[in-house]
Amino acid sequence: ALVMMSQDFKKGLPLIDGHGNFGSIEGDGAAAMRYTEARLQKITQEAYLADLDKDVVNFVPNFDETEKEPEVLPVRVPNLLVNGAEGIAVGMSTNIPTHNLGEVIDAVKAYIDNRLLTVEELMQYMPGPDFPTGGIIANKSDLLQIYETGAGKIKLRGKIEVELGRRKADRDKLVITEIPYTMVGAGINKFLMDVADLVETRKLTDVVDISNQSNKEGIRIVLELKKDADVNKIKAVLYKKTKLEDTYGVNMLAIDDGRPETMNLKQILNTFLEFQYRNMTKKYNVLLQKEMEKKEVQEGLIEACDVIDLIIAVLRGSKNMKDAKECLMTGNTEKIKFRVPGFEADAKKLHFTERQATAILEMRLYKLIGLEILALQKAYKETLRKIREYKHILSNQKNMDVVIKEDLDSIKAEFAEPRRTLIEDGE
């Protein structure tokens, strides 16, 4: 699982930053885990795990019940679309292609603005899958049906470029720079063998030599051609007879509320947004609660600073912490011996809450410096501002929409990358 999440040729958005040998696009396995190191990618921390401490998702016991783990991560982007999914379970399987992060975010924002958008209108923002290996989707006209039904077949092709010989002695070359997503792994070697077979059986008479010059920079499979070779014919043969053109079966089956369901694009976006609203409501309720507690303490400290002589008199006349706390909360002065007369009547009027009394008893003397008191008042104003902001967000769904869109915009600005896969209706 860790290796898969770090491979940029498998995932549209790798979530793990792997150091060491994590396998290659040509199907080499990763090194044993003792030879590798890994850490989270920046986007994983910011968009996948950031709100875990805000009590937004349920925590359940882990496999041996020694710890708690989140039931689901509070993801702020539709990971199901961005990274796709593939897997087989009991009598069912799922195969969801990867998509472009920026396009998915645009589609979510458009859907927030108008819930009545059709799948076709949403596809103006997110025209189709975007595979990490690039390549070409050759059946653009079938995509609408796939996104409306959640199932169908995508025709994938590799990208072929023609390099003409610079000098007379040089041969023209066909260079494959991008491969279909389905060819990742052992598929590249299989392709080389298939082309060699086609040359041997004289179905590709114009190819003289084939070599795999791929490296860390990317894929580069070179076919050297005879003079005056028919490039279009060779391309057609490669697409027809090898895995350079392949089908990718889409089956957008996801588990929603514990039930497996084949979902179309609108259902996926809708479920994602419902999840966001639940999370945001929990998150801002937790934040609001924290600020309300902070406000209570700050009000107590500000009040205490105004009557600090009285409080010092109460503390000096108390035998223990319990008596002092009781006096601060209820004004009960029976167990307090005042050294200076005149304070007792004022002490009977004290009525701090328990939280405030605890904060006052723990307050350090340096907090009485003029600048510290000013800082306390400034912090109190900031707390009031945050309370107003959180109540405003929680007051209705439109305000929440604004926050979700701002959030998505900041993620898009930092992490979105240009589209890699070309979409067309190929011949």
Side-chain angles (χ1 to χ4, degrees), residues 346-408:
D346 289 339
K348 284 180 178 168
K349 296 175 192 165
L350 291 173
H351 59 287
F352 289 104
T353 66
E354 186 174 356
R355 199 174 268 127
Q356 288 173 336
T358 306
I360 290 164
L361 292 170
E362 289 172 356
M363 183 170 78
R364 304 242 177 123
L365 284 174
Y366 79 86
K367 289 279 182 194
L368 300 171
I369 298 167
L371 285 174
E372 286 293 328
I373 294 171
L374 283 175
L376 180 62
Q377 287 165 340
K378 192 177 173 188
Y380 178 60
K381 276 183 190 163
E382 177 62 14
T383 303
L384 291 179
R385 185 194 67 75
K386 283 183 179 171
I387 288 172
R388 280 197 304 275
E389 182 190 331
Y390 298 154
K391 281 183 174 171
H392 175 70
I393 291 168
L394 288 165
S395 64
N396 65 39
Q397 195 174 302
K398 276 201 166 146
N399 299 339
M400 217 170 260
D401 285 341
V402 172
V403 177
I404 291 174
K405 279 158 66 179
E406 283 173 359
D407 220 16
L408 289 171

Side-chain angles (χ1 to χ4, degrees), residues 10 34 109 150 153 155 222 251 266 281 317 332 357 394:
K10 278 274 179 75
R34 62 181 174 275
K109 282 166 57 190
K153 286 193 168 124
K155 196 188 278 184
V222 181
N251 181 22
K266 266 185 88 162
T281 307
N332 180 359
L394 288 165

Side-chain angles (χ1 to χ4, degrees), residues 26-211:
E26 295 185 27
D28 304 319
M33 61 171 120
R34 62 181 174 275
Y35 301 121
T36 56
E37 294 178 343
R39 62 181 176 189
L40 294 173
Q41 291 276 19
K42 193 176 178 205
I43 186 163
T44 318
Q45 292 170 328
E46 291 185 14
Y48 286 66
L49 305 172
D51 294 333
L52 265 185
D53 56 341
K54 314 249 181 0
D55 202 23
V56 291
V57 290
N58 295 333
F59 275 72
V60 293
N62 70 340
F63 66 100
D64 61 356
E65 303 204 346
T66 54
E67 290 184 53
K68 294 268 190 179
E69 64 181 15
E71 197 169 35
V72 58
L73 294 181
V75 187
R76 283 148 54 191
V77 293
N79 181 62
L80 194 69
L81 289 173
V82 174
N83 267 332
E86 52 187 57
I88 300 172
V90 195
M92 50 191 138
S93 69
T94 184
N95 215 18
I96 303 175
T98 58
H99 292 81
N100 183 282
L101 176 68
E103 292 175 0
V104 171
I105 286 175
D106 289 341
V108 174
K109 282 166 57 190
Y111 189 60
I112 289 173
D113 291 337
N114 180 6
R115 294 301 179 89
L116 300 174
L117 286 179
T118 62
V119 171
E120 193 171 0
E121 287 166 331
L122 284 168
M123 284 178 67
Q124 291 172 2
Y125 302 93
M126 195 187 92
D130 183 27
F131 293 100
T133 54
I136 299 163
I137 291 173
N139 57 337
K140 185 179 182 178
S141 47
D142 296 344
L143 292 179
L144 176 59
Q145 196 197 352
I146 290 172
Y147 283 125
E148 278 178 342
T149 59
K153 286 193 168 124
I154 293 176
K155 196 188 278 184
L156 287 179
R157 285 179 174 176
K159 203 171 184 184
I160 305 176
E161 291 175 3
V162 181
E163 284 185 10
L164 299 172
R166 289 180 189 168
R167 295 191 299 271
K168 273 194 175 177
D170 291 350
R171 296 182 191 278
D172 294 346
K173 293 171 185 166
L174 280 187
V175 182
I176 295 156
T177 54
E178 291 174 10
I179 57 170
Y181 185 62
T182 48
M183 215 158 110
V184 169
I188 295 178
N189 276 337
K190 171 93 171 63
F191 171 72
L192 297 173
M193 306 287 282
D194 288 348
V195 175
D197 283 349
L198 289 172
V199 174
E200 276 177 27
T201 54
R202 306 195 64 75
K203 284 176 186 159
L204 263 185
T205 49
D206 289 344
V207 175
V208 180
D209 187 34
I210 177 167
S211 58

